[in-house]
Amino acid sequence: MPQSGNGDSGRLRRYTVQEGLNPEQRFEHWRVWYGSAVETPMRLEKAVNKTPVSFNPSAINLAGPGFSLIEMHNAPALGAWAPNPDAADLRLAYFRKAPGLTLTLNGVPEPVSPGSVRFIDTSLGGSFDAPEGFHALQLNIDRSSLRVSEAQLRSLLRLPDLAKHPIVGTFVVPALMSWKRPGIDRAAAGTADIFRSVMATLVGSLLETPVSDELQKPAIGRAVKKYLEASYDDPDLDVAMVAERFNLSRRSLFYFFENEELRLGERIRALRTRRALELLLQADAQKITYSEIAASCGFTNMQSMRRAVKEFTGMNVREIHRSESDVRVALQQLRESLNP
């Protein structure tokens, strides 16, 4: 699998099988790329399929300081790798789609269910049997940065599927599913901080070892922002609800947002205002009452929306269409301030 990157900037690489190749050539193309792209030499063979499956694999790899991430749509194949004692990463794999996949680690073959999350150790040999291919994301973090000992690593590798662990659902999977944002390769240092924080938070929970607030901060901040983005239209959403959702005290929650441009309560209000402005600017906005817009954006009443719009644009609600160009500038600034 790809090894952790070094340096301050990221490297984003994409791979797809070339067009115009016959099935045999497509498999050979994938086999050659696979063998050269992974840190641990991998041998690929064709899977024995009961029914024909299209061979159309692809991969995206992001490598940065102390981490790498690969998202792969693997075609039907049998894969095997030899032990690599030089492997120094902690590797976590999320198998989004895995029909009929069998993974062999430590000599024990196990079926892999779609949505499974597992630690993988390439310092030991292993193999997979993917008769219908699979879609997986693998996060690799330099183990030394997490201070995971050999004994702790062995303990993590013995764990079964982690998909139902609350931290996996709250922090790990959302981080893995949102990584392909524009310019991520130019912000690799910040991305590395988020992924290292996510992994440290998970490992600390699994090993029951303390994790500093500073190390958890990027993971929690990112997860809370995604939760707010999905929930701002709930009029009951407030700081207390967020604290309960993430099992944090209000004091801890405020700490994680103390250096943000928008504090927690301000962010909720800004998200609601952003949506209100988008609706107010729509050509058919006059068909929707202000009260309906306010309710759909999570404001408890129309007066709250009016105050928020005035605060962010300097205009009254009724002035929005008369100064549309100025409002669109204010809306873009608001969107940029809400970037994760």
Side-chain angles (χ1 to χ4, degrees):
M1 299 296 172
Q3 58 187 340
S4 297
N6 296 306
D8 295 330
S9 62
R11 300 187 304 278
L12 187 63
R13 297 175 178 174
R14 300 174 185 270
Y15 171 84
T16 54
V17 173
Q18 296 177 0
E19 296 293 332
L21 302 179
N22 63 41
E24 291 291 331
Q25 291 171 326
R26 293 176 72 81
F27 180 81
E28 287 303 319
H29 200 289
W30 178 243
R31 189 205 318 247
V32 171
W33 175 86
Y34 213 111
S36 63
V38 299
E39 175 188 359
T40 300
M42 175 78 71
R43 185 182 74 254
L44 284 187
E45 301 295 340
K46 286 186 177 180
V48 179
N49 297 61
K50 294 181 179 179
T51 56
V53 179
S54 169
F55 194 93
N56 191 32
S58 64
I60 305 176
N61 179 38
L62 175 67
F67 86 100
S68 66
L69 177 70
I70 185 170
E71 180 169 0
M72 183 179 298
H73 292 268
N74 209 323
L78 299 168
W81 64 92
N84 180 9
D86 296 327
D89 288 338
L90 183 62
R91 300 158 185 268
L92 189 70
Y94 168 41
F95 297 93
R96 286 199 71 195
K97 297 180 181 178
L101 175 64
T102 299
L103 186 65
T104 299
L105 302 172
N106 300 316
V108 180
E110 296 180 45
V112 177
S113 302
S116 293
V117 178
R118 295 287 304 271
F119 285 106
I120 295 177
D121 182 15
T122 55
S123 68
L124 303 172
S127 66
F128 66 79
D129 180 0
E132 298 182 55
F134 61 84
H135 176 198
L137 294 92
Q138 181 175 307
L139 174 60
N140 310 320
I141 300 291
D142 181 2
R143 204 167 74 225
S144 65
S145 68
L146 300 174
R147 298 181 180 178
V148 174
S149 67
E150 289 293 333
Q152 290 174 325
L153 174 62
R154 289 193 295 272
S155 175
L156 293 173
L157 294 172
R158 287 194 296 267
L159 295 173
D161 180 14
L162 300 171
K164 294 184 179 180
H165 191 285
I167 288 180
V168 169
T170 302
F171 298 109
V172 179
V173 171
L176 291 175
M177 293 305 299
S178 64
W179 74 273
K180 289 184 292 185
R181 58 188 184 277
I184 191 170
D185 54 327
R186 297 189 297 274
T191 302
D193 289 342
I194 290 172
F195 283 134
R196 188 178 300 110
S197 177
V198 164
M199 192 76 93
T201 302
L202 175 60
V203 169
S205 173
L206 293 171
L207 297 176
E208 298 183 348
T209 55
V211 180
S212 70
D213 284 349
E214 195 62 32
L215 188 54
Q216 292 185 80
K217 198 171 189 177
I220 291 177
R222 178 80 176 172
V224 169
K225 289 175 184 177
K226 285 189 68 62
Y227 174 67
L228 298 183
E229 185 73 40
S231 309
Y232 68 85
D233 57 351
D234 181 349
D236 293 326
L237 181 68
D238 58 11
V239 175
M241 180 183 288
V242 178
E244 182 178 357
R245 169 70 173 77
F246 289 90
N247 195 28
L248 294 168
S249 67
R250 291 171 63 97
R251 181 176 180 180
S252 295
L253 197 54
F254 284 128
Y255 163 76
F256 290 121
F257 277 79
E258 65 179 359
N259 295 322
E260 295 282 340
E261 179 180 352
L262 294 171
R263 302 295 177 90
L264 190 59
E266 294 171 339
R267 191 174 190 89
I268 295 172
R269 196 159 180 254
L271 285 165
R272 290 169 174 163
T273 306
R274 180 194 66 186
R275 182 57 181 154
L277 290 173
E278 290 170 348
L279 291 174
L280 289 166
L281 284 171
Q282 288 178 4
D284 61 348
Q286 283 74 16
K287 298 178 182 179
I288 310 172
T289 68
Y290 291 152
S291 295
E292 289 171 333
I293 291 176
S296 69
C297 298
F299 289 105
T300 53
N301 52 57
M302 189 172 63
Q303 288 69 32
S304 296
M305 182 184 75
R306 288 180 182 276
R307 287 194 295 270
V309 168
K310 178 74 171 180
E311 176 184 330
F312 282 99
T313 67
M315 303 176 197
N316 293 321
V317 170
R318 296 182 182 277
E319 298 175 311
I320 295 298
H321 281 284
R322 293 200 295 269
S323 305
E324 185 171 324
S325 59
D326 291 337
V327 175
R328 292 193 181 279
V329 171
L331 178 57
Q332 182 57 32
Q333 292 173 341
L334 186 55
R335 287 169 175 158
E336 291 173 358
S337 72
L338 288 167
N339 284 337

